[in-house]
PDB file of all heavy atoms in Angstrom:
ATOM      1  N   PHE U  92     -86.082 -14.747  73.880  1.00 96.00           N
ATOM      2  CA  PHE U  92     -87.156 -15.423  74.613  1.00 96.00           C
ATOM      3  C   PHE U  92     -88.515 -14.826  74.236  1.00 96.00           C
ATOM      4  O   PHE U  92     -89.492 -15.549  74.014  1.00 96.00           O
ATOM      5  CB  PHE U  92     -86.942 -15.293  76.125  1.00 96.00           C
ATOM      6  CG  PHE U  92     -85.715 -15.995  76.631  1.00 96.00           C
ATOM      7  CD1 PHE U  92     -85.014 -15.499  77.727  1.00 96.00           C
ATOM      8  CD2 PHE U  92     -85.248 -17.155  76.031  1.00 96.00           C
ATOM      9  CE1 PHE U  92     -83.890 -16.149  78.202  1.00 96.00           C
ATOM     10  CE2 PHE U  92     -84.126 -17.803  76.497  1.00 96.00           C
ATOM     11  CZ  PHE U  92     -83.442 -17.305  77.584  1.00 96.00           C
ATOM     12  N   ALA U  93     -88.569 -13.484  74.135  1.00 94.00           N
ATOM     13  CA  ALA U  93     -89.827 -12.822  73.804  1.00 94.00           C
ATOM     14  C   ALA U  93     -90.252 -13.135  72.380  1.00 94.00           C
ATOM     15  O   ALA U  93     -91.447 -13.345  72.099  1.00 94.00           O
ATOM     16  CB  ALA U  93     -89.684 -11.308  73.989  1.00 94.00           C
ATOM     17  N   ASP U  94     -89.301 -13.200  71.467  1.00 95.00           N
ATOM     18  CA  ASP U  94     -89.626 -13.460  70.064  1.00 95.00           C
ATOM     19  C   ASP U  94     -90.086 -14.899  69.831  1.00 95.00           C
ATOM     20  O   ASP U  94     -90.792 -15.186  68.854  1.00 95.00           O
ATOM     21  CB  ASP U  94     -88.394 -13.188  69.182  1.00 95.00           C
ATOM     22  CG  ASP U  94     -88.041 -11.708  69.125  1.00 95.00           C
ATOM     23  OD1 ASP U  94     -88.869 -10.887  69.554  1.00 95.00           O
ATOM     24  OD2 ASP U  94     -86.925 -11.385  68.652  1.00 95.00           O
ATOM     25  N   ALA U  95     -89.677 -15.802  70.710  1.00 95.00           N
ATOM     26  CA  ALA U  95     -89.968 -17.227  70.509  1.00 95.00           C
ATOM     27  C   ALA U  95     -91.466 -17.515  70.440  1.00 95.00           C
ATOM     28  O   ALA U  95     -91.901 -18.431  69.719  1.00 95.00           O
ATOM     29  CB  ALA U  95     -89.332 -18.051  71.634  1.00 95.00           C
ATOM     30  N   ALA U  96     -92.265 -16.732  71.156  1.00 94.00           N
ATOM     31  CA  ALA U  96     -93.712 -16.987  71.200  1.00 94.00           C
ATOM     32  C   ALA U  96     -94.337 -16.926  69.814  1.00 94.00           C
ATOM     33  O   ALA U  96     -95.215 -17.735  69.475  1.00 94.00           O
ATOM     34  CB  ALA U  96     -94.380 -15.981  72.129  1.00 94.00           C
ATOM     35  N   GLY U  97     -93.873 -15.982  68.993  1.00 95.00           N
ATOM     36  CA  GLY U  97     -94.427 -15.845  67.658  1.00 95.00           C
ATOM     37  C   GLY U  97     -94.134 -17.036  66.763  1.00 95.00           C
ATOM     38  O   GLY U  97     -94.793 -17.237  65.746  1.00 95.00           O
ATOM     39  N   TYR U  98     -93.157 -17.840  67.158  1.00 96.00           N
ATOM     40  CA  TYR U  98     -92.786 -19.020  66.384  1.00 96.00           C
ATOM     41  C   TYR U  98     -93.285 -20.314  67.034  1.00 96.00           C
ATOM     42  O   TYR U  98     -92.834 -21.407  66.690  1.00 96.00           O
ATOM     43  CB  TYR U  98     -91.263 -19.057  66.206  1.00 96.00           C
ATOM     44  CG  TYR U  98     -90.776 -18.012  65.230  1.00 96.00           C
ATOM     45  CD1 TYR U  98     -90.429 -16.744  65.669  1.00 96.00           C
ATOM     46  CD2 TYR U  98     -90.710 -18.281  63.872  1.00 96.00           C
ATOM     47  CE1 TYR U  98     -90.001 -15.774  64.774  1.00 96.00           C
ATOM     48  CE2 TYR U  98     -90.282 -17.322  62.969  1.00 96.00           C
ATOM     49  CZ  TYR U  98     -89.926 -16.063  63.423  1.00 96.00           C
ATOM     50  OH  TYR U  98     -89.516 -15.100  62.529  1.00 96.00           O
ATOM     51  N   GLY U  99     -94.199 -20.154  67.985  1.00 96.00           N
ATOM     52  CA  GLY U  99     -94.846 -21.322  68.568  1.00 96.00           C
ATOM     53  C   GLY U  99     -94.193 -21.880  69.810  1.00 96.00           C
ATOM     54  O   GLY U  99     -94.637 -22.914  70.325  1.00 96.00           O
ATOM     55  N   TRP U 100     -93.144 -21.211  70.301  1.00 96.00           N
ATOM     56  CA  TRP U 100     -92.461 -21.719  71.497  1.00 96.00           C
ATOM     57  C   TRP U 100     -93.024 -21.082  72.762  1.00 96.00           C
ATOM     58  O   TRP U 100     -93.327 -19.892  72.794  1.00 96.00           O
ATOM     59  CB  TRP U 100     -90.961 -21.411  71.434  1.00 96.00           C
ATOM     60  CG  TRP U 100     -90.225 -22.198  70.396  1.00 96.00           C
ATOM     61  CD1 TRP U 100     -89.984 -21.839  69.097  1.00 96.00           C
ATOM     62  CD2 TRP U 100     -89.649 -23.494  70.561  1.00 96.00           C
ATOM     63  NE1 TRP U 100     -89.300 -22.819  68.446  1.00 96.00           N
ATOM     64  CE2 TRP U 100     -89.075 -23.857  69.318  1.00 96.00           C
ATOM     65  CE3 TRP U 100     -89.552 -24.394  71.620  1.00 96.00           C
ATOM     66  CZ2 TRP U 100     -88.421 -25.062  69.117  1.00 96.00           C
ATOM     67  CZ3 TRP U 100     -88.906 -25.594  71.427  1.00 96.00           C
ATOM     68  CH2 TRP U 100     -88.354 -25.929  70.185  1.00 96.00           C
ATOM     69  N   THR U 101     -93.175 -21.897  73.782  1.00 94.00           N
ATOM     70  CA  THR U 101     -93.543 -21.383  75.100  1.00 94.00           C
ATOM     71  C   THR U 101     -92.309 -21.463  75.987  1.00 94.00           C
ATOM     72  O   THR U 101     -91.802 -22.554  76.269  1.00 94.00           O
ATOM     73  CB  THR U 101     -94.682 -22.207  75.733  1.00 94.00           C
ATOM     74  OG1 THR U 101     -95.831 -22.142  74.871  1.00 94.00           O
ATOM     75  CG2 THR U 101     -95.032 -21.673  77.116  1.00 94.00           C
ATOM     76  N   VAL U 102     -91.810 -20.307  76.385  1.00 93.00           N
ATOM     77  CA  VAL U 102     -90.578 -20.245  77.168  1.00 93.00           C
ATOM     78  C   VAL U 102     -90.937 -19.928  78.618  1.00 93.00           C
ATOM     79  O   VAL U 102     -91.610 -18.931  78.890  1.00 93.00           O
ATOM     80  CB  VAL U 102     -89.635 -19.157  76.616  1.00 93.00           C
ATOM     81  CG1 VAL U 102     -88.357 -19.095  77.445  1.00 93.00           C
ATOM     82  CG2 VAL U 102     -89.314 -19.445  75.150  1.00 93.00           C
ATOM     83  N   PRO U 103     -90.526 -20.763  79.568  1.00 93.00           N
ATOM     84  CA  PRO U 103     -90.804 -20.485  80.983  1.00 93.00           C
ATOM     85  C   PRO U 103     -90.172 -19.159  81.404  1.00 93.00           C
ATOM     86  O   PRO U 103     -89.260 -18.652  80.735  1.00 93.00           O
ATOM     87  CB  PRO U 103     -90.148 -21.662  81.714  1.00 93.00           C
ATOM     88  CG  PRO U 103     -89.968 -22.720  80.676  1.00 93.00           C
ATOM     89  CD  PRO U 103     -89.762 -22.001  79.382  1.00 93.00           C
ATOM     90  N   GLU U 104     -90.635 -18.617  82.506  1.00 93.00           N
ATOM     91  CA  GLU U 104     -90.073 -17.362  83.005  1.00 93.00           C
ATOM     92  C   GLU U 104     -88.574 -17.536  83.236  1.00 93.00           C
ATOM     93  O   GLU U 104     -88.136 -18.445  83.924  1.00 93.00           O
ATOM     94  CB  GLU U 104     -90.759 -16.941  84.300  1.00 93.00           C
ATOM     95  CG  GLU U 104     -90.254 -15.609  84.822  1.00 93.00           C
ATOM     96  CD  GLU U 104     -90.982 -15.158  86.077  1.00 93.00           C
ATOM     97  OE1 GLU U 104     -91.929 -15.866  86.492  1.00 93.00           O
ATOM     98  OE2 GLU U 104     -90.604 -14.117  86.643  1.00 93.00           O
ATOM     99  N   ALA U 105     -87.802 -16.664  82.637  1.00 93.00           N
ATOM    100  CA  ALA U 105     -86.341 -16.780  82.698  1.00 93.00           C
ATOM    101  C   ALA U 105     -85.770 -15.962  83.851  1.00 93.00           C
ATOM    102  O   ALA U 105     -86.379 -14.985  84.303  1.00 93.00           O
ATOM    103  CB  ALA U 105     -85.729 -16.305  81.386  1.00 93.00           C
ATOM    104  N   SER U 106     -84.620 -16.385  84.319  1.00 95.00           N
ATOM    105  CA  SER U 106     -83.900 -15.626  85.346  1.00 95.00           C
ATOM    106  C   SER U 106     -82.439 -15.539  84.938  1.00 95.00           C
ATOM    107  O   SER U 106     -81.934 -16.393  84.205  1.00 95.00           O
ATOM    108  CB  SER U 106     -84.030 -16.292  86.716  1.00 95.00           C
ATOM    109  OG  SER U 106     -83.441 -17.585  86.701  1.00 95.00           O
TER     110      SER U 106
END
Side-chain angles (χ1 to χ4, degrees):
F92 295 148
D94 291 347
Y98 287 90
W100 290 91
T101 300
V102 180
E104 183 177 356
S106 63

